[in-house]
Amino acid sequence: MSTPMTAPKPAAAASLTMVVTAMMAAIPMITVVMWFVLAGDGIGDFPGGWAPILVVALAVGAYSFCELAGFRAPAVPPGGQPAEVEKQSWQRFTSSTFVRFALSEAVFLVSITIAFVVDSYWIVLVGAVLALPLVAWEAWPGRRNQQRFAAALEAAGHPSYLLGRPQDY
């Protein structure tokens, strides 16, 4: 008999984890590539003024949006076969994960644009340092995010099976 900790992950969960991992890996790789583009004369001085403040503000905005609206979803309607309800729940969770990922990664992508404007590699570093944990927290398809999304799906009192079905335990 398996427990929730040892229950097999659905194929959708394993696939989503692999995709998010691959997409997260792009952030450090792009950061290294940007070193060769922007840091030709060394890392330089940290830029003051609006550039780092704007990147931090974008990160705060992305985090706020993801936390306040990123886990909202219409409740699961009553009835339906458990396997079909679980499949639809995973599709909705996957869509929501990609939206949260895009918002979180936008912090990094905008930081690259700003780095070209102010000609400073530091801005890319700030963007990467803020975006990586933000993506990991908001888009990683772990238990925390699954539970938050399942709570939204199950708001009307009908099971979503996003966290598994009883026979899986």
Side-chain angles (χ1 to χ4, degrees), residues 14 16 26 55 75 85 87 132 160:
L16 183 59
V55 175
V85 171
K87 178 183 169 192
L132 262 176
S160 68

Side-chain angles (χ1 to χ4, degrees), residues 37-124:
V37 175
L38 287 168
D41 299 330
I43 198 162
D45 295 330
F46 189 82
W50 63 272
I53 294 170
L54 181 58
V55 175
V56 170
L58 287 169
V60 168
Y63 172 77
S64 299
F65 184 83
C66 287
E67 286 295 307
L68 296 174
F71 293 95
R72 292 189 181 184
V76 173
Q81 296 296 320
E84 185 61 31
V85 171
E86 180 183 25
K87 178 183 169 192
Q88 290 174 355
S89 296
W90 271 102
Q91 288 172 342
R92 291 164 73 182
F93 178 68
T94 299
S95 297
S96 173
T97 298
F98 286 137
V99 168
R100 291 190 313 274
F101 182 90
L103 287 169
S104 300
E105 189 184 38
V107 172
F108 176 65
L109 297 176
V110 170
S111 77
I112 292 172
T113 305
I114 295 170
F116 278 107
V117 170
V118 297
D119 194 30
S120 175
Y121 181 69
W122 277 104
I123 301 302
V124 175

